[in-house]
Amino acid sequence: MSTAGPGGRIQTSRPGDPSRIGPYRIIGRLGSGGMGTVHAGLAPDGLRVAVKVIHSAQAEDADFRARFRREVELSRRVQGPCLIPLLAAEPEASPPWLATAYAPGPTLNQHLADRGPLTGGTLYAFAAGTAQALAAIHAAGVVHRDIKPQNVVLTPAGPRVLDFGIAHAADGTSITRTGVMTGTPGWISPEHYRTGTAGPAGDMFAWGALVAYAATGRLPFGTGAPDVVAFRVMSGEPDLDGMPGKLREIVEKCLAKEPADRTNAASAAEECALLLASQDTQVLGDGAGPEPTRVGELVTAQWDMPPLDDPAWPLPPTRSRKRTVAAILAAAAVVGGIAGGALALPSGTENTTHDAADAQAPPGETNAPRTGPAPSGTGTAKPSVDPRTVGIPKDPLLGVSDPAYTRADDPAQPGYDEWRASTAAAGPEEKDVEEAVRKDMTSILATKDMDFMKPIVTFNRRAQTVMVTGGPISMLTDDYKEVFGRTGAMAACTALAHRLEGAPTTWPYGRYYVLWKDFDGQTEPTFLDFGQATDGCLPETAGQWQGGEAGLPTAAMPSSDKAEIRIADTLVEAVRTAWNTRAAGGQYGLIPFGRDDSISLGFDPVEKAAYVWGRDDPGALVGRAQKSQFQQLVSKTVCQEMGAEYDRNENWNYTRWSVAVYQGNSGVAEFIGSGTCTAD
């Protein structure tokens, strides 16, 4: 659970995330792990901080709370070079949290993947700095127990060791109550494998492996099945080929099988500092080791990292847009409106409630494109649009006797070998589809400032599959990749469905496959999505569009489209006012919303849907009747306002809505209704 971030970039907050923790204003996420979630926060003086909030399941464990409380107290004592100081903590809060200074930069893992091993003075600075950090940790009576490449950040000023003093509170590399070994193979000491012992000597074993990995780019005990790696750790010799001779000697001592034979952290730091001083051409008198402050100076002097793109963190949005969302990637992007034709957006609504006891669902939407008058009857009828906005027909080949696409009944996912065999577009038909996919994806991604993600579209005729590949973009978060996957799937599915409808007996492609490459040379990209245009391009239930977990995180990402921002502000204020007016009048036993961010709204440009989510604050949405009233109020208000926007804006094509409720800080959404705005 890292306190660092790639170049100061933060992920969007999720619905249900807090807007403030202690004195810190929360503006996004930095990561998450088994222990909890790390939020990006700003102190009152503008200092950037990482705020770790413990998962509720662990917070309810009395033993865990006791360990967490003890380790927080120990961590307060730890000070030294190449450490990230603990700033504040509330072990008794619900949930418990702690805050540390923020350290920008890639982890060692990320740096090695992007730029290869460390060399020269930078390597010695890495070894000296991390050893000095462990010396300070051990001097305070703390054992780290989770030294690994993901827990070391290469900041512009030098390496920084993360999670000191609390890593083992989450049982990261210890024997659990069930006796099952957990942790990362290759970073667990021999004695830990044998007896579960985890002390300072175990940290030094992991440090030796860490420095070897930094110097060579190879894991000293190799890769493979966990039991195979464990056998090598306990009985094999490490692979240290390519390491500088004197540094290799220090590392070999730390990788000794017996804890008593290893160098301690203070001695390793001193020896590495002497190597570093020789790089700095400075002589230490009488063989005396350098002081800790001197180590820090030497590390800074020899540290050589590529320039870091470290944008300033934005302040949280004001008014109703303060909706659990923070700015994410500070990249230059073209801010554009939503492209594509506009749909006649009527003022009524078709809806699907997720609880049959709350409301009766009217008949579902049709599958064919539709046109119609403007909602109020005062506007001009608009042309039909991309069928995505009302649902691609379930099977474009229905009734075609001899279609060219023959795999409609084949549910198998395409394989990497088929991706490798794909080629660039050849011929006007393939080039038209390539252009349609790229144009559609760029249009959708631009609404979230993500049009810097350029897709590569290739074709495998034998597999009858269109491949959409993204990347490589350094240190991109999973949230962005997920949105790219959804966007690529929708764009490819739509383009293929149109082509299948227009040329069913000659067009052979009907499948799509969306992948992501994290770095050049990656042999097997990460799978994101796949499907068939003959299955439809939107999630539907009994013929009706159904909002859900895929669209909500996308909707929570900040929009760059001015119309979306304006409509979001207007709708949130309208829903809040209408609800509180009803509550003040005593209708249905409603309770007013008490917080400014208790109602939030965002747009999912992939499925052209507005998502509204409310927090049960303070008990306003606790019962089924209250949730039903909230869903009905939202659907009516959203369709009225989006219908009015249709009259004003020829590019407006949002027609769907979905409503969710969060209970407390659980982070789990309950979807209570979805629907499509329809003609009166």
Side-chain angles (χ1 to χ4, degrees), residues 2-44:
S2 173
T3 60
R9 294 191 172 100
I10 56 178
Q11 307 169 27
T12 179
S13 291
R14 303 281 178 85
D17 281 357
S19 60
R20 181 177 292 275
I21 299 174
Y24 307 111
R25 299 179 70 183
I26 302 304
I27 62 170
R29 284 190 173 200
L30 295 172
S32 61
M35 183 178 176
T37 300
V38 188
H39 298 278
L42 291 174

Side-chain angles (χ1 to χ4, degrees), residues 34-97:
M35 183 178 176
T37 300
V38 188
H39 298 278
L42 291 174
D45 61 357
L47 176 70
R48 295 186 295 179
V49 299
V51 186
K52 300 184 181 184
V53 178
I54 306 305
H55 288 317
S56 57
Q58 290 176 309
E60 293 170 1
D61 185 324
D63 289 343
F64 177 89
R65 270 191 181 266
R67 292 197 306 273
F68 181 77
R69 188 184 307 112
R70 181 175 65 253
E71 300 308 329
V72 164
E73 289 306 313
L74 288 173
S75 297
R76 294 184 193 276
R77 308 178 198 168
V78 181
Q79 300 290 332
C82 300
L83 289 172
I84 301 174
L86 178 68
L87 301 177
E90 287 190 9
E92 307 306 325
S94 181
W97 61 270

Side-chain angles (χ1 to χ4, degrees), residues 416 419-420 470 472 516-527:
Y416 287 119
W419 172 79
R420 293 191 190 97
W516 183 267
K517 292 178 64 177
D518 283 305
F519 52 89
D520 286 324
Q522 182 180 359
T523 56
E524 293 190 353
T526 303
F527 162 77

Side-chain angles (χ1 to χ4, degrees), residues 280-325:
D280 203 34
T281 66
Q282 299 188 39
V283 179
L284 302 174
D286 301 326
E291 295 295 325
T293 54
R294 177 67 172 140
V295 174
E297 294 171 2
L298 290 171
V299 168
T300 302
Q302 285 294 318
W303 192 246
D304 184 17
M305 282 286 116
L308 180 64
D309 179 13
D310 187 18
W313 287 4
L315 290 173
T318 58
R319 293 185 68 234
S320 59
R321 294 198 70 235
K322 186 176 65 180
R323 55 181 190 273
T324 73
V325 181

Side-chain angles (χ1 to χ4, degrees), residues 581-659:
T581 299
R582 291 185 182 185
Q587 296 186 41
Y588 313 108
L590 303 183
I591 299 174
F593 286 110
R595 293 179 358 195
D596 289 343
D597 59 353
S598 54
I599 303 175
S600 307
L601 184 144
F603 292 97
D604 173 22
V606 179
E607 297 181 15
K608 298 295 183 285
Y611 279 79
V612 181
W613 57 96
R615 291 192 181 90
D616 184 24
D617 170 48
L621 298 172
V622 70
R624 295 200 306 179
Q626 288 83 359
K627 293 173 186 176
S628 177
Q629 288 298 316
F630 185 62
Q631 177 262 309
Q632 293 174 23
L633 176 61
V634 166
S635 63
K636 179 180 179 181
T637 307
V638 166
C639 283
Q640 286 177 342
E641 185 60 36
M642 292 202 303
E645 182 64 19
Y646 169 85
D647 261 347
R648 299 187 292 261
N649 183 355
E650 65 180 7
N651 290 324
W652 187 261
N653 56 5
Y654 285 95
T655 65
R656 299 183 173 88
W657 56 269
S658 188
V659 185

